[in-house]
Amino acid sequence: MIDRAACEIRDQNDPLRAFREDFVLPPGTIYLDGNSLGAQPAAAAARAHEVVTNEWGTGLIRSWNTAGWFELPVELGEKISGLVGGGAGATVVTDSTSINLFKAASAALDIQAEDAPGRTVILTQRENFPTDIYILQGLARQLGGDYEVRLVDDAEVAAGLPTALTDDVALVVLSHVNYRTGRLFDMASTTEAIHARGATVIWDLCHSAGALEVDLAGSGADMAIGCTYKFLNGGPGSPAFIWVSGALQNRFAQPLSGWWGHANPFDMVADYAPADGIRRFLTGTQAILSMSVAEVGLDIFARADMAAVRSKSLELSDLFMTLVEQQLPHHPIEIVTPREREHRGSQVSITHPEGFAVMSALIERGIIGDYREPSVLRFGLTPLYVGFTDVWDTVEALRDILDNRRWDLPRHQVRGSVT
Ligand SMILES: Cc1ncc(COP(=O)(O)O)c(C=O)c1O
């Protein structure tokens, strides 16, 4: 039997313990939603103040040069590339994940049409985060009905797409970790299977960048996209990233061909000519305030060993699942996150018929996870600021809420526009 004292000892021996000081959390809060919006880095407020007051207020337009604003997409891209195995000069931070997916998918289909004309199917997970599916559907519509978006089950993806990879598949778009269940797919073997059937792959790293070790180049991936506001702690709505393998960079036909992707944006000429390399993934003027603050989150990772982050993440999720089984066996709870470590991201998801109300009761006592339809309570485990005792206290609070039906109050049925 695991008890709280055992969790306290694990916290004392935790090599990542000091990183908790890099984040600001309200007193009395256990924050288990870093898979949705990462916690605030302690240095973020000062950086935001500096950018607004000095760089914008005093530097004014000069700051595009003097404060390095124009270089931020590339500079931050390098920092993310280091975390996802993308190599140098292959990643930029820009736009949102949805927009980057549109750009990447469009470019990938163009390349496929040149290399293997006649392929008309875009595959993605039925259980993918909806924006990925919607963006692909919108792109297919825009391409005049020549393309069809086909949905596959996660089980088929986990098995290496044995039946779905027919000869008409041009592009496969996969989330590396499922946002609802936390299931992790094997990037290297899945990429290999997709390439063996002549298709291109785009990986969505929203739930794996900063959460686990990713090796894009080593896996032979073609393109990747992801956000910075979850495990990378970039702040609400912070810009996303896009990575393109070296072999495809100069074949990347930017569908949103704005001036920031132009070879010489300040020549102000009438014809679009794409920049060589990664600048062509850019479209227009970037959200500098947001990007400057996102850098603070990324810089914390410069001091963090991703192997240690992954190792603690798995220990936290192992502990969470063990405690759910130990403390809550008498409740109608199902753990939907895979038990096998190699199939798990950095969250634990459980279902309960009253999931929404149970999460509301937990949040009321300062334990913040979130809820996703149908009946799923998600608990993000971000090793830089979540400890083993936090996990113990969360499962104990769940036990109290369930044993005493504390969720069964009208106020726990009230839904905001964001769940
Ligand atoms: C896998 C995945 N893709 C995309 C998104 C969101 O994309 P955007 O930042 O464009 O809203 C999310 C958000 O949770 C996600 O989990």
Side-chain angles (χ1 to χ4, degrees), residues 35-36 96-99 128-129 131-132 175 177 179 204 206-207 225 227 229-230 240 372 378:
N35 54 323
S36 199
S96 65
T97 304
S98 302
I99 292 172
N128 204 345
F129 189 83
T131 205
D132 291 31
S175 277
V177 174
Y179 76 102
D204 181 333
C206 277
H207 290 267
I225 49 162
C227 70
Y229 52 71
K230 298 179 191 290
R372 286 289 175 268
R378 294 194 309 176

Side-chain angles (χ1 to χ4, degrees), residues 272-389:
Y272 181 77
D276 273 343
I278 57 178
R279 279 198 176 272
R280 73 169 60 188
F281 314 152
L282 302 176
T283 295
T285 308
Q286 302 300 306
I288 297 300
L289 295 184
S290 200
M291 205 171 301
S292 303
V293 172
E295 187 166 21
V296 176
L298 293 178
D299 284 344
I300 296 173
F301 280 92
R303 290 179 279 117
D305 170 15
M306 277 313 290
V309 169
R310 175 62 170 160
S311 164
K312 182 178 170 191
S313 157
L314 289 170
E315 286 175 31
L316 288 168
S317 49
D318 277 340
L319 175 68
F320 199 113
M321 293 193 267
T322 303
L323 288 177
V324 165
E325 285 165 352
Q326 179 183 298
Q327 311 288 88
L328 311 172
H330 48 299
H331 289 290
I333 281 182
E334 193 193 333
I335 298 174
V336 294
T337 302
R339 290 304 305 241
E340 307 81 18
R341 287 181 149 204
E342 67 275 21
H343 298 316
R344 196 193 313 153
S346 197
Q347 73 187 56
V348 171
S349 301
I350 62 177
T351 56
H352 185 278
E354 296 297 337
F356 182 84
V358 172
M359 183 52 79
S360 168
L362 265 179
I363 292 172
E364 192 175 76
R365 49 175 85 181
I367 301 177
I368 304 179
D370 66 19
Y371 174 78
R372 286 289 175 268
E373 295 291 348
S375 315
V376 178
L377 294 98
R378 294 194 309 176
F379 299 94
L381 300 164
T382 41
L384 298 183
Y385 52 82
V386 173
F388 296 94
T389 315

